[in-house]
Amino acid sequence: MPAYVIASVTVSDPDRFRAYQELARPVVERFGGTFLASGTDVRPLEGDWHPERLVIVSFATLERCRAFYDSPQYQAAIRA
C-alpha cells in the first residue's frame, strides 16, 4: 500500500530552501519516491487552510517512506 509525505511549506529563506531542494530531490528518488504535486498554485476548495507551497510525494510502502525520512541523507537536507 502506498504511503505519502504531504508537506505544507513556508519559505522564509529562498537560498536555504534551494539548498534543501538540491539535497532532498535525489534522496526522494533513491528511495523510490515520486513527486505527485509540488508548487505554489494551491487553491483549497473548502476551509481556512491556505498553504504557501504544497508538496506531495508517494512511496510504494510505508517502510520505504520511513526509510527515506530517517535516512542520514534526508536528515542532512533538513538541516541544510
Side-chain angles (χ1 to χ4, degrees), residues 44-63:
L45 299 178
E46 294 184 13
D48 294 328
W49 183 47
H50 299 287
E52 178 182 309
R53 173 181 296 273
L54 187 64
V55 180
I56 303 173
V57 181
S58 174
F59 291 88
T61 65
L62 180 58
E63 291 76 21

Side-chain angles (χ1 to χ4, degrees), residues 14-56:
D15 292 332
R16 186 171 179 216
F17 183 65
R18 275 191 293 281
Y20 163 81
Q21 286 178 306
E22 289 175 13
L23 293 170
R25 181 171 293 276
V27 182
V28 167
E29 294 168 355
R30 184 174 308 125
F31 284 89
T34 302
F35 285 90
L36 300 179
S38 179
T40 57
D41 189 10
V42 181
R43 300 177 192 192
L45 299 178
E46 294 184 13
D48 294 328
W49 183 47
H50 299 287
E52 178 182 309
R53 173 181 296 273
L54 187 64
V55 180
I56 303 173

